[in-house]
Amino acid sequence: MSAFRSDITNGVAVITFDLPGSPVNTISTSVATEFGAVLDEAERNPSVRAMVLISGKRDSFVAGADIEQFGRLTSQAEAEAMSRQAQAMMDRVEGLLKPIVAAIHGACLGGGYELALACDWRVATDHDKTQIGLPEIQLGIIPGAGGTQRLPRLIGVRAALDLILAGKSERASKALRLGMVDELVPPSTLRATAIHAAQRLADRGASERRPGGGIAGALLDRTPIGRRIVYSRARQTVLKKTGGHYPAPLAALEVVQAGLEHGMPSGMREEHRRFGELAVGDVSRKLVQIFFATTALKKDDGVEGAAPADLPPVRRLGVIGAGFMGAAIAGTAALNARVEVRLKDAELERVGRGIKSAIRVLDDRFKRRRLSKPEHARLSQLVSGGTDWSGFRRADLIIEAVFEDLDVKRAVLAEVEQETSGHTVFASNTSTIPIADIAGESSRPEQVIGMHFFSPVEKMPLLEVIPHAGTSDESVVRAVRFGRRMGKTVIVVRDSPGFWVNRILLPYMNEAGVLLAEGVPVDLIDGVITRYGFPVGPVTLLDEVGLDVASKAGAVMHQHFGARLEPAPVLQRMLDDGRQGRKNRRGFYRYENGDKKGVDETVYKALGVQPLDDAAPTMVEQRLIYAMLNEAAMAAGEGVVRSARDGDIGAVFGIGFPPFRGGPLRQIDDLGPARVVEVLHGLEIAHGERFKPAAHLVEMAERGESFY
Ligand code: T1G
C-alpha cells in the first residue's frame, strides 16, 4: 500500500501523505524512497505547476522520523547513513524546479518540520493540535535532516538555537510570530489556502523574506562577531542546564555554528556525523525508551485485560477541600480536562480563595499565551464552589483533598456517600494514608480509590492512582482516564505505605538526614545529587516539602517498615528550632523575598553538628543513591508497581530521577543486580542494617535476572 496519493487541482498537485496502518505519519527509509518517486512524477508532469504537501491523518502532519526505526540502529555508520538519506530527501524537496507548499495541521515535529522547512512556503492551521518544532534533543539526538541548517537561516540564529537546544515545539500562533511558518488559517481552509499559495508561487516566484529581529537581529544574528556572542551564551546556558550529562545540545550548537560559519555543506556534514554518533549513544537509548514508555502509558488503563466497555467519561468533577492542593487540582482539571468543577469547603471564605487560586492556573496559561482570551473566560466559568453539597450530586468523580488525617477523610467519605448518587467514584488525594483504611467503613468500597497528585499539581507530570483490594476495575479506569485528561502520566500502584514515589524517596531522604547529622555539609549533599543529574538535591527538597510534612510522612513510613526507615533526628531538631523550610522562610537554606539563597550557616548549630570539611563526595552519593535503588528493588519485588516501566517512569516524572539514566530499575539493570548487592553489602557493614540488600535483589543476582 502506498503512503502517498496525488491529485491535481488547477495545476497544483496535492500530495497527501497517509502512512497506512500507522496512527501518525513518520518518515522511514521506505517512505523517503516512495516520496522521491512521487516528486519525480509531479516534476515531470507538464500539467503540474506547483505542489502542496498535506497530511491524510486527522490531527498530525508528520511526527518526524520513525523513532522505532532509529531505536533499532546498531552502528554509528548506519545511523549516519540514515541521517544522510533524510538530508538527501529534504535537499530533493528544496531543489524541486516547481514550488512546493507545506500545509500543516497537527503535529509537525522533527523530520516533519524539517520537511516543511525544505518547502518554499508553510501554511499552518491555527488550532490547538498544531504544534511545530524540533524535539530531537529530548530524544538525545539532534535534528538530522537539515533542520540545524535551515532553521537558523529562516528565523535567525538566536531564535533557532532557542528552539533546537531545548527541543521545544510551539503552537501555531507563536510559530508564525517567529517566522517558522508563513501563514495561519483555520483548518477548514487549509487545503484551499495552500493551493492558492502554490499557484501564487508558480506565477510570481517567492518574494524575498525580510530578516526579522530588528537591530538586535542585525547585530547578533547577522554578523560573525554578534554570532560569536550568541554561541558563547548558548554554550553557557546549555552547560548550566545539562550539567554536562546530555551531549546532544552541545553537538547541536556546534553543528549550527559549523553551518553558519563555514557554509551549508559543511554544516550538513557535521549534522549527519554528530547525528550518527548520538543516535547509538547510551543517553539517546534511554530517552527513547522513556518516550515509548510514556506513549504506552497513554493507552494503559491500569487494569488487567480489557477496560469495561461503554464507560462514559467524567463530565463533572467535585473537589472537597479548597486549600492549596484542592484548588490546584480544580484549576488543572478545568484547564486540561475542560470539565465543570465544583469546589467545596467548610467556610465560604476558603471557597472563595480556592476558586481564585484555581483560576490562577488558567491566568498563568493566558499570560504565557497558551490560552486565548475567550478560552480563558470560558474555562474560568467552569469552576464554581460553595459550602454545601450543591453541584456534587451530578459529579462523576469526587476528589477529596482535605487535611491528611484518617478520621477526617473517613468522615468526608461517609458524607459523600450520603449526598451523592451511586455512580460517583470517590478519590482520596493522600500521600500517606492507606486507601483500604479510608474505604474501611464505606458502603461503596468498590468506588473508593486513591489519586496521589504531586505539588505543584499544574506543573508536575505524574499521578499515582491507587486502587485498594476492593476497588472495581471500572473505578480504576475512570480515575486513570481522568488523570490522563488532566494532562498527567498515570501509573497505577499498589495500596501500600508511601505508594511508589514516596516509598523510594523516603530512605534516600532519611539518608540525607543521617548524613546531615554526621556533619556532612548541606551544599555537599545537594551538590553530589544535582551532579548525579537530579534537578534538586534532597536537602533542598526537604525545605520545599516542608520539614513538618516530611517528618509526618517519615513517621508513617517508620511505623510500617520499622527500624530500616527510622527517621534521622535532624528533622525534629529543625522543627524544635522553628524551621519548617521554605514555607516559613527558615530551613536549611536562607530565603529572601521568596528566593532561595545560600545555605543558612546557622543551621549547623541547630543540628548540633560541626560541618565536616573532609566528607567524601563519592561516598555521599553512593549512600544516597543506593538507599533509593535498594528500596526501589524491594518495592518492585513486592509488586508495588505493575512493571519496571511504571516504576522508572514514576521515578523520572515524580522525583526527577535523571532521565538519561532511565530510572532506578533501569539503573540497577545497567549496574547489574549482583554489583548492586555487593555495594549494598559494603554499605551495610560500614553504616548499618538499613543497607541490607533487598531479598528480591539478592534473588535476582543469584538467578542472573534483570528488571527488563
Ligand atoms: N516515530 C514512531 N512512532 C511515533 C512517532 C514517531 N516519531 N510519533 C508518534 N508515534 C506513535 C506513538 O508511538 C503511538 O504509537 C502513536 O504514534 C500515537 O502517538 C531526522 C531524527 C506526534 C505529538 O519526537 O510527540 O524526526 O503506541 O499516543 O498524544 O531529525 O506522539 O499508538 O502504536 O503519542 O496524539 C522527532 C514524537 C522524531 C515526535 C502525537 N519527533 N511524537 O501525540 O499520540 S526524531 C518526535 C510525539 C526525528 C529527524 C529526526 C507524539 C505526537 P502507538 P501518541 P498523541
Side-chain angles (χ1 to χ4, degrees), residues 23-24 63-67 111 114 135-136 141 143-144 275 291 295 298-299:
V24 297
D66 182 345
I67 301 178
E114 293 175 291
E136 284 87 341
I141 49 173
F275 178 91
F291 169 78
T295 311
K298 288 189 200 171
K299 287 190 298 199

Side-chain angles (χ1 to χ4, degrees), residues 388-706:
D388 58 17
W389 291 101
S390 62
F392 274 75
R393 267 165 216 108
R394 284 187 294 123
D396 309 296
L397 174 67
I398 293 177
I399 301 177
E400 156 285 298
V402 300
F403 188 64
E404 190 78 347
D405 177 277
L406 178 59
D407 291 333
V408 177
K409 292 194 188 266
R410 275 186 165 178
V412 168
L413 173 57
E415 247 190 286
V416 165
E417 288 183 342
Q418 283 208 331
E419 298 290 340
T420 61
S421 65
H423 84 293
T424 310
V425 172
F426 177 87
S428 178
N429 173 57
T430 172
S431 54
T432 49
I433 304 177
I435 307 304
D437 290 355
I438 298 173
E441 290 164 6
S442 160
S443 57
R444 307 197 284 262
E446 67 285 356
Q447 277 152 246
V448 179
I449 198 164
M451 287 175 90
H452 179 209
F453 288 92
F454 296 80
S455 182
V457 177
E458 65 278 19
K459 297 216 176 86
M460 290 294 286
L462 188 74
L463 170 69
E464 287 181 312
V465 163
I466 312 112
H468 66 93
T471 306
S472 68
D473 277 3
E474 194 171 306
S475 302
V476 176
V477 174
R478 296 200 104 179
V480 168
R481 288 191 184 160
F482 190 71
R484 217 149 40 212
R485 283 170 66 201
M486 284 179 72
K488 305 300 168 199
T489 294
V490 187
I491 58 173
V492 173
V493 300
R494 219 179 66 181
D495 186 19
S496 113
F499 312 128
W500 169 252
V501 169
N502 284 342
R503 169 82 181 271
I504 66 171
L505 193 60
L506 202 94
Y508 153 94
M509 300 292 267
N510 268 355
E511 198 55 30
V514 178
L515 288 162
L516 287 166
E518 289 171 15
V520 178
V522 169
D523 40 350
L524 191 149
I525 296 175
D526 279 352
V528 298
I529 289 304
T530 50
R531 273 193 299 281
Y532 184 82
F534 278 89
V536 296
V539 189
T540 297
L541 196 57
L542 278 173
D543 264 5
E544 294 294 329
V545 170
L547 291 148
D548 50 340
V549 174
S551 158
K552 249 178 98 174
V556 173
M557 298 290 279
H558 182 207
Q559 193 194 335
H560 283 280
F561 294 104
R564 190 166 61 75
L565 294 192
E566 180 171 356
V570 295
L571 292 189
Q572 196 50 50
R573 284 186 210 150
M574 293 292 284
L575 291 169
D576 292 344
D577 195 43
R579 294 174 191 259
Q580 297 191 335
R582 183 194 273 276
K583 69 170 89 164
N584 77 342
R585 292 180 299 282
R586 271 174 64 73
F588 293 98
Y589 288 88
R590 287 181 290 115
Y591 297 91
E592 283 163 28
N593 306 321
D595 290 332
K596 178 179 155 209
K597 302 287 176 188
V599 175
D600 180 353
E601 295 298 334
T602 66
V603 78
Y604 298 108
K605 201 164 151 246
L607 297 177
V609 295
Q610 276 291 338
L612 298 172
D613 50 19
D614 61 349
T618 42
M619 179 52 83
V620 172
E621 178 193 294
Q622 199 171 58
R623 282 171 61 180
L624 291 165
I625 298 302
Y626 276 73
M628 183 182 287
L629 298 185
N630 197 28
E631 197 68 32
M634 189 182 303
E638 290 167 18
V640 173
V641 279
R642 296 168 63 233
S643 62
R645 171 202 77 189
D646 286 12
D648 281 337
I649 289 295
V652 169
F653 289 169
I655 51 187
F657 194 96
F660 70 92
R661 296 182 191 275
L665 302 175
R666 183 78 73 179
Q667 182 78 68
I668 292 174
D669 276 5
D670 281 358
L671 293 162
R675 168 76 190 140
V676 177
V677 167
E678 189 184 311
V679 173
L680 284 166
H681 268 313
L683 289 169
E684 184 186 3
I685 292 164
H687 303 285
E689 269 226 60
R690 63 185 184 282
F691 283 107
K692 182 169 183 237
H696 184 61
L697 201 54
V698 176
E699 274 166 32
M700 285 177 69
E702 278 165 3
R703 295 194 201 133
E705 290 171 357
S706 56

